[in-house]
């Protein structure tokens, strides 16, 4: 007995601490906001933040209490907070309660969840409970909604959001070379994972893929490089854009990344309440897939496929070993990568010298999500788990895959195999890219 009891107790304590830490972060992020700001739908793309809060709580209730009493359907999510019943653009019209009431609901649900956690059986013959998987799923859900909330806060109407806490990012010495590509020799590579403790269904199963040799940028494309694309008339050269990209350009009349504005002193940008000149050595952020693709054409390259991206981030061709993070298996920390939100912005590329994959690709995790050329689809042998609405209903050619997480991603929701997806026109996400080409 003791051999299984002790690890279960340790796991319980860890999950308890992680649940509390996740909630503390959510509440920290919304602390500076008034009830009115929390109620407002700041953009048709985003929910009122109160909706995110209520939805976080009810998702937790569904999976960590009701689900433990017997099988549930995702559609059992209570009406107001069911994302499929209420598309984002309509959530501003919902009769959402005030913050005090939502916080009461969050605490009330959490108390029941912690009560159930005391008797949770992690050795259960159920994949959902084994190793505490369902708790990690719920934790990652809250982490992911934190990033969504930060997108909303960056889009916020009225007074810009003033962060309640801020971590100063390291500043690197000037003159670090940021150009150049690294080579992936090609060969048989393991993609995805068989992990059952935290990976999502769309990351599974681990499978072998033959990859052709390719080259990939050592760093994400910087603002400085992107400024050159703008100066070269990149937005006015139809030959650089796909047909869908040209259509988007005509409708949107965009001529720079989102949140950039031209001033007498050059291009300026804003992150939350900070406005300043566009910094040439930071990765470009808030560009859509079409902009990324046009840039790659302009430099005579292309976007990497997501398999190439994962190979460059995770595979050591010398040892045939797959790494959890580009630097190895050590969990992310402030010294390793710009993740976890409180930096409130990107860092200059090459700020984190250890954030480097075996082939020498830098900054693949953190700072900006990176667009890939791939549509979001199933890995061979995919099985929806535990519900189709997480991934499977989004498979198809409407969405492009993004990899690597951004400054606004919590570390517990990031790893080399993590797959994000969005429409190719989206720019409110913290998205950049790097280029690739055949070798
Ligand atoms: Fe959600």
């Amino acid at each position: 007995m003791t051999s299984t009891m002790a690890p279960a107790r340790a796991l319980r304590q860890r999950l308890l601490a992680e649940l509390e830490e996740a909630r503390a972060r959510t509440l920290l992020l919304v602390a500076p906001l008034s009830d009115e700001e929390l109620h407002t739908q700041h953009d048709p793309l985003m929910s009122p933040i109160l909706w995110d809060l209520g939805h976080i709580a009810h998702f937790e209730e569904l999976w960590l209490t009701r689900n433990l009493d017997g099988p549930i359907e995702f559609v059992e999510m209570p009406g107001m907070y069911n994302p499929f019943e209420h598309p984002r653009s309509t959530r501003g019209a919902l009769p959402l309660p005030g913050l005090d009431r939502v916080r009461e609901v969050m605490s009330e649900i959490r108390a029941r969840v912690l009560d159930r956690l005391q008797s949770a059986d992690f050795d259960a013959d159920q994949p959902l409970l084994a190793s505490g998987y369902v708790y990690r799923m719920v934790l990652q859900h809250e982490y992911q909604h934190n990033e969504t909330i930060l997108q909303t806060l960056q889009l916020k109407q009225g007074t810009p959001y003033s962060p309640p806490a801020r971590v100063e990012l390291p500043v690197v010495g000037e003159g670090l070379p940021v150009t150049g590509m690294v080579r992936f020799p090609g060969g048989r590579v393991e993609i995805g994972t068989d992990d059952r403790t935290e990976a999502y269904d769309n990351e599974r199963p681990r499978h072998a893929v033959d990859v052709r040799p390719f080259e990939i940028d050592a760093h994400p494309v910087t603002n400085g490089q992107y400024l050159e694309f703008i100066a070269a008339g990149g937005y006015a050269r139809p030959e650089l854009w796909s047909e869908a990209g040209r259509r988007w350009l005509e409708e949107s009349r965009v001529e720079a990344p989102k949140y950039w504005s031209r001033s007498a002193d050059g291009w300026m940008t804003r992150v939350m309440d900070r406005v300043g000149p566009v910094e040439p050595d930071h990765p470009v952020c808030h560009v859509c897939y079409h902009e990324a693709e046009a840039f790659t054409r302009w430099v005579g390259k292309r976007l990497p496929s997501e398999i190439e991206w994962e190979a460059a981030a995770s595979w050591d061709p010398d040892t045939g070993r797959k790494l959890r993070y580009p630097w190895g298996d050590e969990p992310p920390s402030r010294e390793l990568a710009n993740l976890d939100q409180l930096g409130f912005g990107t860092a200059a590329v090459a700020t984190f010298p250890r954030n480097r994959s075996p082939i020498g690709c830098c900054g693949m995790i953190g700072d900006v999500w990176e667009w890939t050329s791939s549509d979001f689809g199933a890995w061979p042998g995919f099985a929806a788990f535990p519900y189709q609405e997480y991934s499977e209903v989004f498979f198809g050619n409407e969405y492009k895959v993004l990899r690597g997480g951004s400054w606004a991603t919590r570390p517990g929701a990031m790893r080399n195999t993590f797959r994000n997806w969005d429409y190719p026109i989206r720019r409110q996400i913290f998205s950049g890219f790097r280029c690739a080409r055949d070798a």
Side-chain angles (χ1 to χ4, degrees), residues 51 55-56 59 74 77 83 141 145 387:
W51 188 92
H55 168 83
I56 287 170
F59 185 90
F74 187 69
M77 176 83 87
H141 183 255
H145 273 275
Y387 63 112

Side-chain angles (χ1 to χ4, degrees), residues 355-384:
N355 190 353
R356 192 186 155 92
S357 77
I359 63 161
C361 230
C362 301
M364 296 197 88
I365 279 188
D367 283 304
V368 290
W369 287 99
E370 299 183 16
W371 287 106
T372 73
S373 62
S374 301
D375 295 338
F376 185 48
W379 291 145
F382 166 84

Side-chain angles (χ1 to χ4, degrees), residues 56-239:
I56 287 170
H58 286 287
F59 185 90
E60 178 170 316
E61 180 188 42
L62 189 65
W63 288 100
L64 299 187
T65 66
R66 293 169 57 192
N67 171 61
L68 304 182
D69 299 325
I72 43 129
E73 291 290 328
F74 187 69
V75 291
E76 289 176 43
M77 176 83 87
M80 196 152 61
Y81 299 108
N82 188 315
F84 293 96
E85 267 176 47
H86 303 286
R88 277 190 186 178
S89 61
T90 66
R91 290 175 195 163
L94 293 169
L96 294 163
L99 179 62
D100 286 348
R101 178 63 197 136
V102 172
R103 284 192 67 157
E104 269 169 35
V105 171
M106 292 177 104
S107 319
E108 182 272 320
I109 291 174
R110 178 56 65 86
R112 281 190 280 130
V113 163
L114 297 185
D115 193 46
R116 293 305 296 263
L117 177 61
Q118 292 317 311
S119 55
D121 180 5
F122 304 122
D123 296 323
D125 202 17
Q126 288 181 51
L128 206 50
L129 266 171
S131 316
Y133 177 82
V134 72
Y135 288 89
R136 294 238 169 62
M137 186 181 92
V138 167
L139 277 164
Q140 289 178 83
H141 183 255
E142 185 153 354
Y143 299 153
Q144 287 170 282
H145 273 275
N146 281 179
E147 183 158 355
T148 311
I149 289 171
L150 286 166
Q151 292 169 24
T152 308
L153 292 173
Q154 171 69 13
L155 281 162
K156 182 181 177 302
Q157 298 168 5
T159 320
Y161 173 72
S162 194
R166 204 188 271 276
V167 168
E168 290 306 322
L169 295 164
V171 176
V172 289
E174 54 200 296
L176 275 168
V178 298
T179 51
M181 300 185 88
V182 293
R183 187 172 190 277
F184 190 86
R188 211 159 175 75
V189 170
E190 300 278 338
I191 295 297
T193 177
D194 288 329
D195 172 70
R196 285 257 165 203
T197 64
E198 62 182 339
Y200 280 112
D201 59 359
N202 66 54
E203 298 168 63
R204 290 191 296 266
R206 183 158 162 158
H207 59 287
V209 177
D210 286 316
V211 177
R212 271 194 268 201
F214 65 92
E215 291 179 322
I216 185 163
D217 287 350
H219 296 277
V221 168
T222 62
N223 287 329
Q225 292 168 315
Y226 203 82
L227 281 163
E228 289 173 30
F229 169 71
I230 297 177
Y235 282 91
R237 287 173 55 181
E239 76 276 12

